[in-house]
Each structure stands twice: as structure tokens, then as C-alpha cells.
Amino acid sequence: MAGWLQGLDLSGGWANLSDLPGSRWVGALCMTAVSFWALGRYDQAIHRWLATGQNEDAVQGAGVTAIAVSQSTGFGLIIGALLRWRMLPGLGLARALGVTAAVALSFLAGWGFFTSLCLLVLPSAFPYAEALGIAGLGLGVFIVALCLWPPYWGGLSRLPRLPSIWLAARIALFAAVDCAAAALALWLLLPPGTELAYFALLPAFLLALGAGIIGGTPGGAGPFEAALVLLLVGVDGAALSCAILGFRLVYYALPAGLGLLAAAVGPGRSLATLRTEREDRASYRPTFRRAGAPPSPDMGWHLATARRAEAGLIRQGELGWLEAPGAGGGWAAGPTGSALVAIGAPFGPWGERRHWLAALRAEARSRGLTPVIYKAGGRMASTARRAGFALLPVAEEAVLDPMRFSLDSPDHRQLRRKLRRAEKADIEITFDRGPLAPACAAEMHEISAAWEAGRGGSRGFSMGRFCPVYIGHQHRFVARAGGRIIGFASFHVSTREWVLDLMRTHPGNAEDVTGAPDGTMHALVCCAIEEAAKHGCQRFSLAAVPLHSASPAEGAEPEQPDPAFFAALRQRLDQATGGAGLRQFKTCFAPRWERLYLAAPNRLALAFAAIDIARRIARPRPLPQLGDEHRAPMRNAIPTETETRDAVPLRRAS
């Protein structure tokens, strides 16, 4: 390095520096301000990724202060973490270290992607520039693919969640703005008349910046200058030293001094003020509860009285939920690679649909995700459309009224045929609810495992999976033949609706070729419809199936045809959920079909969300281990059968 630095004429540089016009200094200061503005926004993106919950204005100021000082002092991880902790007292030292490490690693990724792009696009005389650019872009594409489709298999599923594609794009954008503005500040400090174009300087500056970062010296001193001298051999040494000296003053010394002053003054608001702000925010909008957390007793009551009983999916542990302030209800939701996906409709008395939509948007924004609603009904879809969301019809829900259901209807000819076959097999069907007995749970688990093995595995996310604790909260209808279980169906139940969840029948095997006879599942569902009618239930859902085509539903206004891409997405959802067989089964009950929608802020977000959801359904994550707190009966939930033997029907009770 000492040999390379001999190419710098420091005495000539100082002389040229004093002769620089004032406009050059002003331009360099403005570009420095732009660069640090981008760094502050960069910190905001990292805090959203890590869901720290800090005030975004304070986050931006803390990030600028930490970077301004630590880039000049060296020991960036330690100094940056201490300064972030100083400026954000509510963050804590451990989380400040995590944020600083995430900022450093993600900046390296953004710098590498931008540098590779510049090496490919801009003219460069560097050896192997194109090869380096192609290799860097290839690595960048691999990282983007991981952000889009994070790994869920084996031990990799336990790695920290990568940023969403939207956050990754913001990180790359702000890294590019930061580097481009810093390079422009250096270029403006070259003496007038220097024969070096900005776009010829930019690749050399980026490589020199990387050398300084990897070198680890304070401000990159030494490696940065040596790399510039090596890469810009045709530039006059006095002119280059003038730009470097001015750049050190404008981009390093001045921000470091201001940063130290800001750190000495401390945060603009006290810890008590920050805590009060956080409590105020929590008091007027719902908060997100992670997947696997046990619902509170009040939440159990809202689930038991929900207008859409499918909200009971949160008891499975794969979905979290937005919880309203004051235990006012919730909305089942879960993060995917690019979105925070809410399922169906919210439940509970808190707020109107537009309030819940605003809460979903705020929570998704705080996590760097896109707000998405999957299987939104007509009313929620209308609310989302008025809020500027794009809609895509993706499913139809099969619904009937148990009080008016009759097997004598001509529409149920095929159903009667299936039931006659089940009757010939002498099947016994029993109704059960409450915690599962261990012996019964073992038999049902065996049937479920055999059923899933014959269909390429279980489905998840918005579809239930077998878990004894989970279905212990459901109503179950069990089919037996010869004293052994050959099939079962489980239902989410509230005071307003019954919803079909799990359907499992014994497929038969080499030892016992007589699996569940044809019509077993039809008989189970018919028994459930009869039981729901006894309780006065007026809405019985056979759950949703993917929309086979975009043709308008009966009585609905014609919709504009979707592009072929979205038709392909619907087909992917249909394959992920086994929609063809489900539709054929449910058509036997002659239900009415209600259109369900996917809602997202724009068409691009719709596409990413549909791909994410299809993948999460087809390749679900392992279910968490549910502890005793999930098994305990929840206060105000629907009582067990023994407790309600003499109770009035649910319609009157509600």
C-alpha cells in the first residue's frame, strides 16, 4: 500500500483543495446529505425487517448518528451498537447489536449487487470486470430467490426469516443511492478540468469502498486510497489527492463531528416519552400475536361466537393473529415471504372492516411486508376495493342452510346414491367433542397419516392439519366399522356457523384392504348437517375450493377477464389444494357458491402473494408443539356436550 500511495501528490492536493470553487463544495455537501438520508432510510428498513417496534423518526436519526461516527472511528459493530443504544434507549443493547450486524451484512449485499451491475453496464478498463459482475449478479439473484421463497425444509426452516422481496428492494435501492451520492461527492471535489467522467469514476469508487470496508481501518483509510490509485492510474496524482482530502473532510470528518454532538445531546425524547408513545399506539390499533401463542380466554369467547368459524385456524399454531385492543377480537394472519396474509374476515366487536384493514396495513408496513387478504368475502372485498386494493377471485365457498336441507331434493340424487353405499357397509357414526382420548387420537392419527401419504402429504396454512390438541377444540364425527375407526370429519363451530375442516378416511393397505367404503365421508357430513340443524344453525360451510375459472358467480356482475398469468396462478392454487376432487365432492350437497377473493395493494403484490400462499399450502411448515396452555378449556367458550345436554338450541342461546 505504501508503494501505491506514492502516486498521491498530497502537497499538490492541498493546493488544489484551496482553489476549489464554492459551488463544488456546496454540491459535495448536498450529495453527502443525500447519502446520509439514504442511510437513515436504510436503518428504517432494517428495523422493519427485525420488527423492533421503534419510532421510525427516531430510528432514522439514530442510524445516521451511528453510521456517521462509526465509519470514521472503526470498530463499526461495537461503536454502531453503542450509539444506537444511546439514541434508542428502548431498543436494548442486545437488539442494538443485532440491528447493527444486520445493517452491515445487508449493506454488503446491496453494495455487492450495485457494484456488480455497474461493472457490467458501465465502461471499465479493470481486468475481469465482466466476470466479477456476472458472478455478483448471480449471487444477488440467488439471495432474491431466497427472499421470495425462504427455505422451509429440515434445519433450514429454523434460520432467521430473510427480508421480504419489498424490503430487499428497498435495501438495494437505498444502498445504491448512498453509494452513487458518495461517489458524486468525491467526483465534485476533483479540480475543474480533470479528465475523469463520473461514470468512469463510479466503478472504481465502489471497488475502493469495498476494499475500505473489508480492510476494517477507520474510514477505510489506506485500502480506499490505495485501491483508487491502483484503479485510476491515468488520473493526475495531485487531482486525485485533492478529491480524496476534500472527501475525507466533507464525508467523514464533518458527519463524525455532528454525530458525536448528537450522541452527546442524546435522544430527543426520553425513555418515558417513547414508552408512552408505544402504549398510545397499542391502545388504538391491534397488535400482532405470533403463531403458536395460546389465545386468551376472551379470545376463546370471540372465536366461539365468531361470524366466520374458520377463525379457529389460529388454534393450530401455524397462524398468528391481529388482536384488537381491550380484547375486542382478532383476525387470523400469518407472514409469508412477501406479505402479511390475513385469512377471511376479522371477528369480535372492535372496529369496522375499514378499521381492521387499516390495522393490517400498519402492521404489514411495520414488518416490511405487503398487506394481503386471502379468501375475503364480498363485503370485505368491497371494503378493500374502496381502500385502493386490487382484487383477484381465487375461490368459491360451498354454503348451505341446515334448517332447509333435505335429502329428498332432486339435486341430491348423487348424494343419496353415496349414502346407500355407506348404509350397506353397516357404518356406525358417532358425534364427539372436547379433548381427544389417547386411544382415539392414536387411531385418528394413523388414518390421517395414511390418507396424507396417499395424496403427497398434508396441506397447511389456510387448511387444517391433524393435531390432537387442535381438533380437541372442534366438533368431530367419527365413522366406525367392526369397532375400529375408518374415517372422521372435524368442524370449526361457533354460535353462528359450522365449517368443515378435516376430512380423513382410511385408504386401506396390504394388511387390511377394506378401507373406508365409498360414501363414508358423505355420510359423515350429512350427520353433521343434521346435528347443526338440531342446534338451530342456519349457515353450514363445506369450506372453499379454488376457483376453476374467472366466470362470474350467479347473480354477480360480470368481471373483467384476468390475464393468462393470473389464470395460471389460480390453476397453481387449485393443484396445491386438490381443488378438483373437493369440488366434485361438495357439489353432491347442492350448495350455493359464494365468491372469495385475494386482495393486495397492486397486481404485482397479488402475483407474489398468490405464489407465496400456494407454496405455503402445498409445502407447510412443521406445526409447533402445543403445550398444556393450549389444551386447557377457555373461559366462555362453547361448553362440552355433557354440560349442554339440557341446554336450549344455540340459536336461542345467542
Side-chain angles (χ1 to χ4, degrees), residues 177-260:
V177 171
D178 167 39
C179 294
L184 186 54
L186 177 67
W187 183 79
L188 288 171
L189 293 171
L190 287 167
T194 304
E195 294 183 357
L196 179 63
Y198 169 71
F199 289 111
L201 169 66
L202 182 57
F205 173 83
L206 292 171
L207 291 174
L209 180 64
I213 293 173
I214 295 171
T217 58
F224 177 77
E225 289 82 1
L228 278 180
V229 171
L230 180 65
L231 297 171
L232 300 174
V233 291
V235 180
D236 179 65
L240 191 57
S241 62
C242 170
I244 290 174
L245 290 171
F247 185 70
R248 290 294 183 189
L249 289 173
V250 169
Y251 197 83
Y252 284 89
L254 180 60
L258 295 176
L260 286 172

Side-chain angles (χ1 to χ4, degrees), residues 337-574:
S338 64
L340 180 62
V341 181
I343 308 293
F347 54 91
W350 183 86
E352 301 176 4
R353 286 185 296 275
R354 58 189 177 88
H355 297 148
W356 280 106
L357 187 59
L360 177 66
R361 270 181 155 163
E363 185 63 33
R365 183 176 183 272
S366 71
R367 294 170 173 268
L369 299 170
T370 303
V372 170
I373 309 172
Y374 179 52
K375 297 202 293 189
R379 292 182 178 180
M380 178 56 74
S382 298
T383 302
R385 189 192 293 276
R386 287 194 296 269
F389 278 56
L391 299 180
L392 177 69
V394 292
E396 287 181 316
E397 186 175 14
V399 180
L400 53 86
D401 184 351
M403 307 293 289
R404 299 180 179 179
F405 182 81
S406 173
L407 287 173
D408 297 331
S409 168
D411 296 329
H412 295 141
R413 269 195 316 273
Q414 187 177 1
L415 177 60
R416 290 194 296 269
R417 190 180 308 118
K418 294 286 186 180
L419 293 178
R420 283 195 295 268
R421 293 176 184 175
E423 289 174 2
K424 291 179 181 178
D426 196 21
I427 295 174
E428 179 189 3
I429 295 178
T430 57
F431 171 47
D432 185 27
R433 57 181 168 183
L436 273 176
C440 183
E443 278 192 82
M444 294 170 73
H445 179 268
E446 180 182 352
I447 291 174
S448 181
W451 184 90
E452 292 168 3
R455 287 164 174 78
S458 63
R459 305 294 187 261
F461 195 61
S462 62
M463 301 178 71
R465 287 185 277 171
F466 181 82
C467 171
V469 177
Y470 168 60
I471 68 171
H473 292 281
Q474 297 181 329
H475 286 21
R476 303 175 297 278
F477 291 82
V478 182
R480 289 179 171 85
R484 65 181 182 88
I485 297 178
I486 59 171
F488 64 91
S490 70
F491 296 81
H492 298 291
V493 174
S494 74
T495 56
R496 304 187 182 194
E497 181 186 45
W498 286 41
V499 179
L500 177 61
D501 187 24
L502 296 181
M503 297 189 298
R504 300 290 188 266
T505 53
H506 200 299
N509 51 45
E511 291 78 16
D512 181 14
V513 293
T514 58
D518 189 24
T520 299
M521 190 53 62
H522 298 78
L524 287 169
V525 173
C526 281
C527 287
I529 294 173
E530 182 182 351
E531 187 67 26
K534 290 179 182 178
H535 288 82
C537 176
Q538 295 182 332
R539 180 183 170 88
F540 188 98
S541 171
L542 296 171
V545 295
L547 189 65
H548 191 64
S549 66
S551 57
E554 183 178 353
E557 296 182 0
E559 299 177 359
Q560 294 182 353
D562 290 313
F565 178 72
F566 289 103
L569 286 180
R570 270 193 297 268
Q571 184 178 4
R572 178 73 180 91
L573 283 171
D574 187 69

Side-chain angles (χ1 to χ4, degrees), residues 57-68:
D57 294 333
V59 160
Q60 188 169 1
V64 169
T65 301
I67 294 172

